Amino acid sequence: MILKKRKIVLIGCGLVGISYAYSLLITGDADEIAMIDTDKKRLSGEIDDLCHGLPFAAKNTEIYMGSYLDCKNADIVVITAGVAQKQGEGRIALLKRNREVFSEIIPHIMSSGFTGIMIIATNPVDLMTSFARELSGLPYTKVIGSGTTVDTGRLKFLLGAYYNLDPKSVHAYVIGEHGDSEFVPWSCANIATKPINDICRENIKYSLEDMYSIEERVRKSGTSIINFKGATCYGIGMALNNITRTILCDEKTILTTSCMLMGEYGRSGVYIGVPAIIGSEGVSEIIELKLTENERHKFSSSCDFLIDINRAASVH
C-alpha cells in the first residue's frame, strides 16, 4: 500500500519558521517540507544546515526550497512571515504593515489551488488569522491561529514547577487575545480532576496569590524573553509542531488555538484563543468553558479589544 505523503509548506523562515521546521525534523511529523522566504540566499543556508541533521532525525524528511505552486497539494500551509514590531510601535501600525505582507502572500497561495488547512503565527495573531481567512476565502474551520497555545504551554510549565508535577498532569488554559488581555480562567483549572482553587484553599503550602503571580508571569513571558534574547522562537515553534501533528494524525486534541467564534461565549465573528478540538478537518468544535461572571467579563473585554483594534486599523 502506498501511503500519502504528509506535506507542509512553510512561508516565512525567520527564527520562528526555522524553529518550527527544526522541530518537525526532530519529531518526524511531516514527510515533505517546502520552505518559502524572500531571502533565498539565507534560506538556502538554513535548508543545508537542517538537511545535515537528517541522519540523526526521526526520519528522512524531504526538505527543500519551494514556491507557491507547492501549496496546491499541501496538507497544511503555515505562515510565520511578517514584519517585526518596531520599538514603540503600536498594535494598529503593526497590524497594518503585516496586512500588507499577507495581501501579497495569500493570493499566491490560493491561486495554486490550495484547499488544505492554514495555520497562522504572525502577530497580532488573532487579527492576522481573521485577515487570512477573509483573504483566502477558506472555511473558518480551516484557518487556525497559534492563539494562546504557547501561553498555555508556559502556564502548564510554571504550574508543574510550582506543584512539582509533570506539566502534562496540569489541566489549565490561557484564553483570550494573545496579548495583554489574555487571562487564566482559574475556575476551570485542575490537577487531575481536583480544582486548583480547592487545592489552594485546603493546603497551606499553596495559595491563590501565587496562582495570580504565575498568571502575570505568563502574560509577561514573551516580553521578558525578547528583552533577554531579542525574540521568542522555540516555544512557539514547538507549539506549531503540536498543532501540525494534531491535524496530520487527526488526534482530536484540545488546543487553545485562535478560532472564529460562532455564538460560543455569546460572541460571533471574532477570532480569539479558546480551547478547541483540532483534527484533520481543522476546528471540529470549540469547547465552551463554564466561566464565572468575572471571567466572562474578562473574555468579552478581550473580544472587544480585538474588534476595536481591527476597526481602528481599517479606518486609519
Side-chain angles (χ1 to χ4, degrees):
M1 181 175 69
I2 299 175
L3 297 176
K4 180 183 180 296
K5 283 190 173 184
R6 299 176 296 180
K7 181 177 179 179
I8 307 297
V9 173
L10 170 61
I11 301 173
C13 300
L15 285 173
V16 172
I18 292 301
S19 297
Y20 166 62
Y22 177 69
S23 181
L24 282 176
L25 293 188
I26 293 297
T27 59
D29 288 313
D31 299 299
E32 185 178 347
I33 307 170
M35 303 176 70
I36 300 173
D37 195 274
T38 54
D39 188 342
K40 290 182 170 52
K41 180 179 178 181
R42 185 181 59 79
L43 178 57
S44 180
E46 295 283 14
I47 290 172
D48 281 350
D49 201 7
L50 289 168
C51 286
H52 296 165
L54 284 174
F56 317 108
K59 66 192 299 183
N60 192 28
T61 304
E62 183 182 1
I63 183 166
Y64 56 90
M65 187 181 298
S67 72
Y68 287 106
L69 293 176
D70 285 297
C71 297
K72 178 179 176 61
N73 63 343
D75 297 288
I76 302 172
V77 167
V78 177
I79 305 178
T80 66
V83 295
Q85 191 165 10
K86 299 175 182 177
Q87 187 171 5
E89 182 179 34
R91 288 267 181 133
I92 295 172
L94 178 64
L95 176 59
K96 290 175 72 174
R97 292 202 298 140
N98 275 332
R99 278 180 171 178
E100 291 176 3
V101 173
F102 274 32
S103 293
E104 175 69 23
I105 289 173
I106 290 180
H108 288 301
I109 296 171
M110 300 315 297
S111 65
S112 74
F114 174 68
T115 59
I117 293 172
M118 190 178 288
I119 301 174
I120 309 298
T122 305
N123 280 318
V125 68
D126 303 291
L127 296 172
M128 292 307 299
T129 306
S130 180
F131 189 57
R133 190 208 65 81
E134 179 185 327
L135 282 179
S136 68
L138 288 167
Y140 66 88
T141 55
K142 288 194 168 188
V143 183
I144 305 168
S146 55
T148 51
T149 53
V150 70
D151 310 275
T152 294
R154 291 164 178 162
L155 175 67
K156 290 186 176 186
F157 169 76
L158 291 173
L159 288 175
Y162 181 82
Y163 290 106
N164 194 26
L165 290 168
D166 183 337
K168 296 183 182 69
S169 297
V170 176
H171 305 287
Y173 303 110
V174 177
I175 65 172
E177 169 222 9
H178 174 58
D180 292 340
S181 67
E182 68 183 28
F183 70 99
V184 178
W186 290 108
S187 67
C188 304
N190 299 280
I191 291 176
T193 59
K194 186 157 187 174
I196 284 178
N197 284 344
D198 289 352
I199 294 172
C200 290
R201 279 191 286 265
E202 295 170 6
N203 193 323
I204 60 172
K205 288 171 55 180
Y206 311 118
S207 74
L208 291 174
E209 288 72 22
D210 289 342
M211 298 302 96
Y212 303 144
S213 295
I214 286 173
E215 179 177 0
E216 188 62 17
R217 282 182 65 188
V218 169
R219 192 176 291 114
K220 293 180 177 178
S221 284
T223 300
S224 175
I225 293 167
I226 290 168
N227 287 339
F228 279 121
K229 55 171 280 192
T232 62
C233 56
Y234 303 125
I236 183 60
M238 294 172 75
L240 289 170
N241 187 6
N242 194 30
I243 298 169
T244 299
R245 181 175 63 253
T246 298
I247 292 168
L248 292 177
C249 299
D250 195 26
E251 289 182 347
K252 299 291 194 297
T253 301
I254 296 174
L255 301 172
T256 51
T257 49
S258 187
C259 309
M260 182 185 280
L261 300 179
M262 298 296 285
E264 297 86 1
Y265 300 96
R267 306 301 295 250
S268 293
V270 58
Y271 266 90
I272 196 164
V274 287
I277 300 173
I278 308 298
S280 61
E281 297 302 314
V283 179
S284 61
E285 182 183 348
I286 290 174
I287 304 299
E288 190 164 358
L289 301 175
K290 189 175 181 180
L291 303 178
T292 65
E293 184 177 347
N294 182 52
E295 289 165 351
R296 291 188 72 87
H297 175 72
K298 287 181 179 179
F299 186 79
S300 187
S301 295
S302 194
C303 289
D304 290 340
F305 175 77
L306 288 169
I307 291 168
D308 290 344
I309 292 293
N310 197 45
R311 184 181 296 121
S314 299
V315 170
H316 289 85

